[in-house]
Amino acid sequence: MDLDEDDFVFFGTPIEREEEITSRKKKAVAEASGQLRTLPVWKQEVTDEEGRRRFHGAFTGGFSAGYYNTVGSKEGWTPQKFVSSRKNRAEVKQQSILNFLDEDERADLEGQSLGTSMQFDTFGFTAAELARKQAEKEQQQRPSAIPGPVPDELVLPATESIGVKLLLKMGWRHGHSIKDSRPSSLYDARREARKAFLAFSSDDAKAQLAESESVQGNLESITEQPTNDDVQSHQNTPVYVRNPKQDLHGLGFDPYKHAPEFREKKRSRMSGKRETGNRKADSAKDNLFGFKSGNVAPGFGIGALEEFDAEDEDVYAAGFDFVDTYVQEVEEPSKLMTDSKPKLLAKETGVLPGFRVASNSDYQLERFDPPVIPKDFVPCHKFPGPLETNYRLADPPPPEVPPPEDNNLKLLIEGVATLVARCGKLYEDLSKEKNQSNPLFNFLTGGNGHDYYTRKLWEEQQKRTDQSRQQVDVKQSSSMRKMTAESRGKILGERPLERSIKDLSSSVASAEGIQLQFNLSDTFTEPASSSGLHEAVKPFKDDPAKQERFERFLKEKYQGGLRSTDSSGSSNMSEASRARERLDFEAAAEAIQKGQWGKESKHFSATGGMQFTSGGVEQAKGTEAEDLITKKMFPKREEYQWRPAPVLCKRFDLIDPYMGKPAPAPRMRSKIDTLIFTSDSAKETKVEETIIANRDFSMLQSDVQGISQDVAIKENEVEVEVENVERPVDLYKAIFSDDSDDEGETTSLNKVENPEKKIEAATTTLNRLIAGDFLESLGKELGLEVPPDLPQSTNMAKTPASQKEAANTNVGDSNILPVKNNPSSTVFSETLNHEVPHNRKIAIESRSDKNEVIHGKLAKSVGIYMETGSTENNLDKVDLEKRVHEDSKAKTPSSRRKNWNSNSSSEDERSRKQSKRHRHRSGDSDSDSSSDHRDRYRSRSKGRKKESSREKSGSSRRHSKHHKHRSRDSPGRSRNDSDREHREAKREKRRKRD
Amino acid sequence: MSELEVPGKEANVLKGHEGAVLAARFNSDGNYCLSCGKDRTIRLWNPHRGIHIKTYKSHAREVRDVHVTPDNSKLCSCGGDRQIFYWDVSTGRVIRKFRGHDGETNCLLLLVDLYSTGLDLGDSHLVNAVKFNEYSSVVVSAGYDQSLRAWDCRSHSTEPIQVIDSFSDSVMSVCLTKSEIIGGSVDGTVRTFDIRIGREISDDLGQPVNCISMSNDGNCILASCLDSTLRLLDRTSGELLQEYKGHTCKSYKLDCCLTNTDAHVTGGSEDGFIYFWDLVDASVVSSFRAHSSVVTSVSYHPKDSCMITASVDGTIRVWKT
């Protein structure tokens, strides 16, 4: 009814691409915004493939120029060349289907249209064929007297022969005699003249004429024809219409021959009876009979002066019909109605018109009674399997035959025998057939080992029948007598089956016996399990291995006989656990005896389980408890913040509770989550620390490690609460691009870096120790008071790289430390190798480098450094000056980084790097000695910079790490500042002195 | 006495759906009812006269829920095709299709067999329930993608104006009050989102919630859980007021509701029975076999003692006292 064009039925899930989705979305939006299709053309917006509004250029139409929704083409609207119509008239272009076809389609069409052309169709066969097809098509719509398709041979549609065609070409028309057409033209002229004459003569006549013309236009010719005899004589070939015979009268008999009014009556009655669905037929009939009856055609209405007679009711009947159908069209055709309608129609159409469905027919269905089922018939198929085996058992057993020498063959034979015994003779036949060519299977067909095979087969079959017999026994007893296995056992004084099996199997060979035993126990206990015995015997069913051992234990206990001391399961158990298990088993066996089979087995198994299985019981208890808890616990109410969208509030006609408040931060998953997360990470780092510590600090004492770890953990704990403040990382990145380059270039080194980060915690403490030592010594040297308890060392604000160096530091290598006097430089001087001389060299170089820079910048401060620094450096520095300077310029971050990771690389570069750092620092400290504040800010910013770089490099790391660094940062910074203050103060003093 | 109040007489059978009927709903005044089902159609009936009035076809997959505005002018429906259809009742045209509920889902498929009415696991886009708000300006839908989504009917946008994704499993049912959105989910929670105060209240029932329905006084919520229990919750305190048992509801989405007087609780069962419990003492007042198969949906007339039930057997039955 309302078929939306967009709705297709899709099968499967289409793989959607991003762009498709977006474009579709856009389309959807466009459609939703006022249904594009319904908009007038000039209001529609033209969009291109991406959904953008199309702009054609200011001079070519702006936003709404041609092609998409107006005239034109892709190339634009091109005016046709002017052709003067004065001389050569514009030809009317004849369009054919070929104009609209593609090349390939055209080729297809042309290739296929093979057939006689109409030109050569002398006898009109092809035309006849076509006409027949046409008629068949029409047949569908046209009702006919004979229901169903009319046989082709019976009704041949009239076709025009070539003669008729020729005549037609010459101007002949159907219904006209073959005559010159000129008189007709003459007649036309005359008619015109007469019309004019009539108009001229009288007004009345004219009015009458007009009326008659308008109302009965087609009758005009008839009324006028009598005036002209010539014309009438032309129409001497009547068009022959075959009327379908619809009555029951004999051929050619017309009962209304002399009473046409009755015919009319009958017809109207018929049409009244007809359903609306057949209205077409009625109208067709109207046309057929229209001329003869002279009835007023429906739809013309009745004039005021005309008589209102019975015939006119037809008009209204038709009108009523129309209304009726209208109603039906509007109303949704309900299921009920459609159900009833076809029945009605079927009733009508299934019967030939004029026939009636007979109320009673002679034809009677002959019915046959179903066969009588014999009273003793049991609707259950019995398989002759056991019977067969029984029958076979009657045969004398084949003689015992020694197995063939070939072990493989023996195994094969045994295997086949068991299979055959299990699956029946069919399997034997099958394998015989399959392995005809295989020499290994000769024993099947009577070759080598056949005797052994038959013997084996017999044995197996015997075994199986034993089993099945027992099985049948059990089944019978349990099903027929409704007796449990235990009760039967009690009555008969039997032992449980497994033990009896043992007896049985003891006579058989050992390896086989086990197999058999398992088979038997399986087959036997299965039916028993339904009664609960199976469960009862298995108090350790949670642990199958244990259960197995328990069963063995039981056997041993109650039966004696052969004891397998080296039980496979318990062999790998410790002595203690075996003892414990044995105790368990004893208790279980006792319990089983006590609560012997008479008791409700299920109950027993439950209690037994409680007693003897440790894990399972607790679990069961746990679940029960849980159930209780859940009952108590639920429903559990929790409340969260939730921010409704402003639009939603508006639509619900409520005031937004969060109006004017900033958008909330994305909702935390839950606090617990983050806590778990951090603790996890802390744990991880701890573990990693230890690992790395073991690897890297092998030379370190273990107590140092311990301290460092402890401290690290503590720090982690503290840092959980530290608020994460977003820092404009990118800014720093932009400024100090060398740091970012580091990570960009050395992706492979990041792996190495990560462990570095992880050992930072350890390093810090280490550094603290070193720094503490150092500062003390420094303080002594400078004659300053060093705060005895420094929270953290200066290198807190350092890059991880420097920290790694620090990590590599030999603790005992303290001889370098005194060399350094500038607190900020301590960090870098710690870049120590294990080789002392080298270290020494670096230290010297770094010193010199620093001094050089200072020289270049501020001569004043040189003195300070000279004083504090070692004297050798001063001597060397002039020589080194230039080289170092250049090197520091040429230095690339990547090389530097590589150095960090490979300790064995040249010392020069390291020193160069250090020099750069020093320059920075010195610049900081020296540039603005007066304003402490700014200095501090700088150092902080530097710290941040380092921090940022670290963040970048370790972007993949977890969050908590950042916390760690940051928190470690701050005390370090403060330390730095205090140090600097000290220095500054000192420097000022000296200046004054100078 | 109470026996008399409960409808138990079959007044009409509405046949027409081919395949399971998944939901049947009275309109706001109870004169008409809507049904939808696996045959991808929505049908409008006059249940009192047993007449089928109109069929709405446009869905490409099964239709799981339908709701009509209080003024009977618009419909919304949802189903397997991740869209919410917004219909004009009289013309039967789709005014808008809200595309959504296509979020990536990785929820535990607790309700695997809940969709055993013929759904495969790949169907992560289905929308389980829709409701109009009081002003019929917003459609709220509950989806398999663990979210509730609110759609604006007034604007032309097809994007949701609000996505509530605090559920941790498929949201099965949704109820709206004047200021709250209530959703019931398979994760066992019934969450109330109060727009007025901006709070989310989560009531964890511990069992997957199939369907929730409000009492007529608006103080209680009846939640149908998958452990074959209906639970009545006090909305203000979150207390469990009563549990109603006796029916089977283990794997299908079965509706439940309160009668028009709030005196009884009613719900379908997977064995084709309908159960009526006394609201207060939770005793089964009446139960009878209504359908040959699972009763998927029940809906109670807002004023009279009349109920419609829909079933997998493809019929909708009208019950009166």
Side-chain angles (χ1 to χ4, degrees), chain B residues 30-290:
Chain B
N31 288 335
Y32 297 95
C33 75
L34 283 158
S35 65
C36 55
K38 289 202 79 73
D39 60 353
R40 313 195 285 243
T41 60
I42 301 159
R43 282 161 200 265
L44 175 64
W45 312 81
N46 185 331
H48 307 293
R49 290 168 61 203
I51 299 171
H52 173 222
I53 299 163
K54 210 171 171 72
T55 306
Y56 300 89
K57 291 177 191 162
S58 213
H59 274 281
R61 304 290 290 270
E62 86 280 4
V63 191
R64 303 203 143 251
D65 197 9
V66 63
H67 195 228
V68 65
T69 54
D71 62 355
N72 296 333
S73 66
K74 301 286 192 298
L75 283 184
C76 62
S77 63
C78 66
D81 42 0
R82 78 167 113 163
Q83 296 181 354
I84 290 96
F85 285 56
Y86 182 54
W87 304 78
D88 187 71
V89 171
S90 52
T91 63
R93 275 179 195 282
V94 178
I95 302 169
R96 212 162 295 145
K97 292 174 189 171
F98 301 114
R99 283 172 200 273
H101 286 290
D102 49 357
E104 307 265 316
T105 53
N106 49 358
C107 64
L108 287 168
L109 289 168
L110 281 177
L111 276 190
V112 169
D113 43 1
L114 198 136
Y115 301 113
S116 53
T117 41
L119 228 83
D120 49 311
L121 298 183
D123 271 317
S124 59
H125 301 312
L126 49 96
V127 188
N128 289 316
V130 280
K131 284 276 188 308
F132 276 111
N133 72 335
E134 196 198 3
Y135 308 105
S136 48
S137 56
V138 171
V139 174
V140 179
S141 62
Y144 188 73
D145 61 346
Q146 316 175 3
S147 72
L148 282 173
R149 278 157 200 260
W151 312 88
D152 193 357
C153 299
R154 299 226 172 126
S155 78
H156 290 296
S157 163
T158 54
E159 298 296 317
I161 53 173
Q162 174 100 50
V163 179
I164 301 167
D165 51 2
S166 53
F167 293 95
S168 49
D169 208 329
S170 172
V171 189
M172 295 305 290
S173 182
V174 63
C175 274
L176 297 183
T177 64
K178 280 186 182 180
S179 64
E180 286 146 314
I181 300 169
I182 307 159
S185 163
V186 181
D187 64 4
T189 59
V190 174
R191 288 169 198 261
T192 308
F193 300 90
D194 196 326
I195 301 166
R196 188 151 32 190
I197 57 169
R199 300 291 285 175
E200 172 195 341
I201 297 158
S202 154
D203 291 314
D204 196 344
L205 295 178
Q207 289 292 335
V209 176
N210 241 346
C211 169
I212 54 169
S213 84
M214 291 255 293
S215 63
N216 292 310
D217 61 1
N219 291 330
C220 301
I221 282 181
L222 184 68
S224 162
C225 297
L226 268 191
D227 59 343
S228 299
T229 312
L230 301 184
R231 293 184 165 84
L232 189 72
L233 296 177
D234 185 46
R235 282 190 54 210
T236 47
S237 65
E239 248 179 280
L240 180 66
L241 297 176
Q242 195 55 267
E243 286 188 342
Y244 307 94
K245 287 180 184 178
H247 66 302
T248 26
C249 172
K250 290 203 162 68
S251 51
Y252 287 86
K253 179 186 190 297
L254 304 186
D255 280 0
C256 58
C257 64
L258 283 97
T259 57
N260 59 328
T261 54
D262 276 350
H264 300 286
V265 166
T266 183
S269 174
E270 279 172 20
D271 49 10
F273 275 67
I274 310 177
Y275 282 79
F276 288 93
W277 293 271
D278 190 89
L279 182 87
V280 182
D281 55 10
S283 58
V284 177
V285 173
S286 162
S287 72
F288 53 89
R289 191 174 183 86

Side-chain angles (χ1 to χ4, degrees), chain A residues 397-458:
Chain A
E400 195 122 6
V401 177
E405 299 79 20
D406 191 358
N407 213 24
N408 280 336
L409 186 65
K410 184 191 159 197
L411 275 177
L412 185 69
I413 286 168
E414 276 170 14
V416 171
T418 23
L419 274 172
V420 168
R422 198 172 293 168
C423 306
K425 187 89 170 78
L426 195 72
Y427 180 80
E428 195 187 32
D429 296 342
L430 258 177
S431 49
K432 222 184 260 178
E433 203 174 301
K434 215 189 272 174
N435 301 303
Q436 247 169 358
S437 57
N438 197 339
L440 264 178
F441 285 84
N442 272 341
F443 62 87
L444 286 174
T445 49
N448 183 23
H450 181 69
D451 294 337
Y452 182 67
Y453 168 70
T454 44
R455 171 71 196 175
K456 214 67 202 162
L457 187 62
W458 180 78

Side-chain angles (χ1 to χ4, degrees), chain A residues 635-647:
Chain A
K636 187 170 58 185
R637 175 159 279 208
E638 283 172 86
E639 225 172 307
Y640 307 103
Q641 194 105 339
W642 174 67
R643 185 174 174 134
V647 194

Side-chain angles (χ1 to χ4, degrees), chain A residues 541-552:
Chain A
K541 55 178 175 285
D542 295 311
D543 187 353
K546 199 174 182 185
Q547 174 66 30
E548 209 179 300
R549 286 198 296 275
F550 177 62
E551 272 164 22
R552 205 177 299 126

